Amino acid sequence: MIIPRRNAHWLGMAGVGLATTALLVALFSFVLANPNDYFFLPAGDGLQSYYATAYYAFYDTGHHFSGMNYPFGENFTYPNLQPLIAVGINLLQRLGIPAAEHTVAITNLLALLAVWVTPLVMYTILRRLRMPVVYAGLMALLIGFLSPQIQRLGGHMSLSYPCFVPILWYCILRMQEAPTKLRWYVVFVVSSLLMGLVMVYFLACGCFFLLGHVLVLFFQRPRPMAMLWRMTLAALLPLLLFRGWLWLTDPTTDRPPNPYGFLVYMATPSGVFTPALSPLRELWAALLPAGDISFEAMSYVGLVATGIALVSGFRVIRHVWKRRGHKLHLRRAMPTPLYTSLWAGGLLLLFSFGVPFIFPWFSDFVKYLGPIKQLRALGRFAWPFYYVFTAYAAYYLYRLWRYQRQHGVSLLALPWLPLLLIIWASEAWINVSTKAREVALGAGARAFMDRDNNLLVNYLSWAGKKPSNFQAILPLPYFNNGSDKIALPGSEASIAETHRMSIATGLPQLSSYVSRPSVDQVLRHVQLLSSPLLSKPLLKQFPSDKPILLLVAPGILSPAEQRLVSLARPLVASAEVKLYELPLAALAATTRAQERAKAAALLPTLPVRTGGLRATTSKGVLLQSYDNSPERRGRLGAGGFYEPDWKFSILYDGPVPAPADTGRYEVSVWMNGKMPEGYGNMQVKQYANGALVDHQVADARHSTEIDGDWVRVAVPIRVQSGVDRLEVLYDNSELLVDDFLIRPLDTDVYWVDERGRLILNGYSLEP
């Protein structure tokens, strides 16, 4: 029976769908049977994504997410909650359908549905690139299941939709086929906007990919100018609309302007062309030198495609060599749309490598990139290249097989084709089965998300308390991540148990785990851990006087965290966590009055040293207040130290304040936390007779002493015997610091600033 071509096409698509279904059922049957009971990743970003989506679905509306960053909350674009999905679940919940209780199931099934759709979309693309039904179906399966985005399942749920980029590519192909039809431009714009409401990287990826096509087509002859204008508009319109929507809905004006990672989280040639998963990674490393491949650098096209890249590159070089001295014409041995997409994907691949900004003469332009800098994980822009190049590899193999068949080569002489397909299939199996094994370890989501049977809430009731008696949860060990300024990691237990308690009670968190939150709000939150010498202005913005629910998970607590526990009243102790009631008055109280009284009695007995300093021991101290510095943006006074360039700024280079003392010292400085760059680190080096004998480093992102806009960075040291020189360096750019102090830990240092305020060890004692 002869099957009509159109029917064969649809039968092929059905076959791809059935094969994809069979593979997903075989690998993820446990998830499909109990989708609400598995976290694809039960920690870190994965758990945070489930939590944020569920909290929004239960307790929020509109574009505001209140689960973290209390009392401010966040625009729901910034938490990892997939706004489009969260809004849909929330709407169903408000219509009386209990969808929020099944947030985990919905998230998981949508992620697997995206995996299922990917081979179908790739099949339609390969068919439009003139590949036969059976071959296109087979290659679509291999390309879909080798997708690098499958490794995002769990860790970055909002990035784990491998069908999104192929869908946008399909729209671009249809634009080129029918340049006057408005339909595919509209579909592209709407699709990219909806994808942007899942994760903005998809919107940016698709729009940049389309702009790459515009650039490539512009250099073709004849230039299809009418189509280029339409494509340019279709590429820019989603970017402008999304940016405008953020401008209208996001009142925050001080998000970090220079997030970390723009030239760090890049793709690399090894990440694109060499395997990253076991056992192939170890095999490759045994044959060829291979370094580690970072997660963001992974966009692996497979061994077969890598081999085709080498062969194709060799053929191009040979052709160029043969044509030297003549006008060069590169023959297009592929459909024009694939040729154009290959060039466009290559341009985006170079961008994912950081080109041109990795070159010294372009690196200074990074500071002027504006919103583009917010897309700091450049490695994700290699995804279009993955789909285009694997499609090219599939077409290359097909053309080679067809050429040999047309020249009478028997099937028995063509063992290379099934061998290559087996290699490709093996890598695809490793890719998806590795992720399936990881997902199988994430059981227990149903109990974690159960609001009605939360043991901690029950324990709380035994202590005579209920969630409505509190206004927020403060976790210890404390976590505050995502600002690229402060980075307090907390612990896996404190993050998980706080998420669990927040879902069960509806109480928001006095912490932040979102991308690029307000710098000022982060500083105000971290200031809650500061010493009692500093005020806590955030407490004045709380809507009530209810106490805070202090949740303490297993882990090492810092002295600042231990102080918070000492201020609270114990309520519940279980194997998992301890709960305390922390009154606002106890947290707000300062010891400045006591220290002023102590100083009034003590200061008359202390001799005055150079610079007006008084110290409680005779040991050496050193203060640099920069009062006479040309930089007038100081902290306590008008002067400060400012260095705009990225370098090791020398804060001090000289003798030890007390050369004979080998005790414990503290080197501290106050850094302005509102500068555009991150916080860098401070380093203290000790030298004896010119030789380095000690080197200590303090990561300023871990600081918790906040005074207004200023962050205290301190390095404790023990002065080594024979040390005759200290060097204090600060590694950062746009550095603004003040009140540099070196003092023994057993010595308090007093002075009066230019405004007449009494200062103790860098802290003002005035009310």
Side-chain angles (χ1 to χ4, degrees), residues 668-687:
S668 66
V669 74
W670 291 86
M671 177 199 62
N672 190 288
K674 293 290 189 69
M675 301 302 286
E677 296 292 343
Y679 289 172
N681 63 78
M682 187 164 71
Q683 306 183 19
V684 180
K685 298 181 179 181
Q686 299 183 46
Y687 295 89

Side-chain angles (χ1 to χ4, degrees), residues 622-643:
L622 184 146
L623 171 68
Q624 175 56 270
S625 59
Y626 304 104
D627 289 340
N628 298 319
S629 170
E631 173 57 54
R632 307 313 293 162
R633 293 175 293 174
R635 173 177 166 256
L636 299 175
F641 175 93
Y642 175 64
E643 173 54 62

Side-chain angles (χ1 to χ4, degrees), residues 219-493:
F219 288 98
Q220 291 187 0
R221 296 291 187 273
R223 296 174 182 172
M225 295 304 298
M227 181 178 70
L228 293 183
W229 281 113
R230 297 187 190 99
M231 294 175 77
T232 301
L233 181 62
L236 295 179
L237 189 58
L239 294 170
L240 295 175
L241 289 175
F242 194 85
R243 184 69 179 172
W245 180 81
L246 280 181
W247 180 77
L248 289 172
T249 60
D250 182 20
T252 302
T253 59
D254 66 334
R255 299 190 185 277
N258 298 303
Y260 174 80
F262 186 78
L263 294 180
V264 177
Y265 302 137
M266 300 185 298
T268 61
S270 61
V272 174
F273 295 109
T274 65
L277 300 177
S278 297
L280 291 179
R281 184 61 188 171
E282 290 76 13
L283 179 61
W284 182 278
L287 298 175
L288 295 170
D292 293 334
I293 298 175
S294 68
F295 190 61
E296 292 293 354
M298 290 172 54
S299 291
Y300 178 48
V301 298
L303 287 175
V304 175
T306 296
I308 291 173
L310 293 174
V311 172
S312 299
F314 173 77
R315 293 185 63 186
V316 169
I317 293 172
R318 187 180 64 175
H319 180 72
V320 171
W321 177 259
K322 286 184 176 181
R323 296 290 300 176
R324 65 187 185 279
H326 300 82
K327 188 175 181 180
L328 181 63
H329 293 282
L330 291 177
R331 224 164 21 99
R332 299 183 187 177
M334 67 186 88
T336 299
L338 179 58
Y339 175 85
T340 305
S341 294
L342 192 59
W343 274 101
L347 292 175
L348 216 52
L349 180 68
L350 292 177
F351 180 64
S352 75
F353 289 164
V355 175
F357 307 108
I358 54 174
F359 301 122
W361 50 90
F362 283 102
S363 59
D364 290 340
F365 288 96
V366 172
K367 66 178 69 175
Y368 304 112
L369 292 181
I372 295 178
K373 285 186 295 183
Q374 300 298 320
L375 303 169
R376 59 180 177 178
L378 292 183
R380 298 168 187 176
F381 289 92
W383 293 342
F385 178 81
Y386 166 81
Y387 295 103
V388 172
F389 194 78
T390 51
Y392 164 74
Y395 187 82
Y396 188 97
L397 293 179
Y398 166 65
R399 282 291 301 266
L400 181 58
W401 175 83
R402 192 175 69 171
Y403 175 84
Q404 292 187 340
R405 290 290 294 147
Q406 289 173 345
H407 287 74
V409 179
S410 67
L411 288 175
L412 295 178
L414 298 175
W416 57 267
L417 182 58
L419 177 62
L420 293 179
L421 295 183
I422 288 172
I423 294 173
W424 201 326
S426 299
E427 291 197 280
W429 173 262
I430 291 172
N431 190 48
V432 69
S433 63
T434 298
K435 180 53 62 176
R437 288 193 296 271
E438 293 176 3
V439 172
L441 302 176
R446 188 187 305 273
F448 186 95
M449 291 288 191
D450 192 346
R451 295 193 303 164
D452 298 325
N453 296 295
N454 187 285
L455 290 178
L456 287 178
V457 176
N458 295 335
Y459 293 159
L460 199 60
S461 66
W462 296 351
K465 299 292 182 179
K466 52 186 178 181
S468 60
N469 295 138
F470 305 91
Q471 58 179 313
I473 303 171
L474 179 60
L476 299 180
Y478 183 75
F479 60 90
N480 200 306
N481 293 307
S483 68
D484 293 318
K485 302 284 189 178
I486 294 291
L488 299 174
S491 69
E492 186 174 309

Side-chain angles (χ1 to χ4, degrees), residues 634-652:
R635 173 177 166 256
L636 299 175
F641 175 93
Y642 175 64
E643 173 54 62
D645 296 329
W646 197 293
K647 61 186 294 186
F648 283 98
S649 297
I650 301 175
L651 301 185
Y652 179 75

Side-chain angles (χ1 to χ4, degrees), residues 137-219:
L138 177 59
M139 298 310 300
L141 290 168
L142 300 185
I143 293 171
F145 284 108
L146 188 59
S147 168
Q149 289 172 264
I150 287 179
Q151 291 304 311
R152 301 284 176 164
L153 286 168
H156 299 105
M157 294 298 291
S158 57
L159 292 168
S160 64
Y161 295 88
C163 64
F164 281 4
V165 172
I167 287 172
L168 296 177
W169 183 26
Y170 180 77
C171 292
I172 295 172
L173 293 176
R174 298 304 299 266
M175 290 178 198
Q176 296 174 80
E177 292 176 4
T180 61
K181 287 187 177 180
L182 187 62
R183 177 196 313 167
W184 294 108
Y185 301 96
V186 173
V187 172
F188 180 91
V189 170
V190 173
S191 298
S192 57
L193 284 172
L194 293 175
M195 293 173 188
L197 288 174
V198 174
M199 169 51 75
V200 68
Y201 276 97
F202 288 117
L203 182 149
C205 231
C207 293
F208 288 9
F209 190 33
L210 181 53
L211 288 174
H213 281 78
V214 171
L215 184 61
V216 174
L217 290 169
F218 179 79
F219 288 98

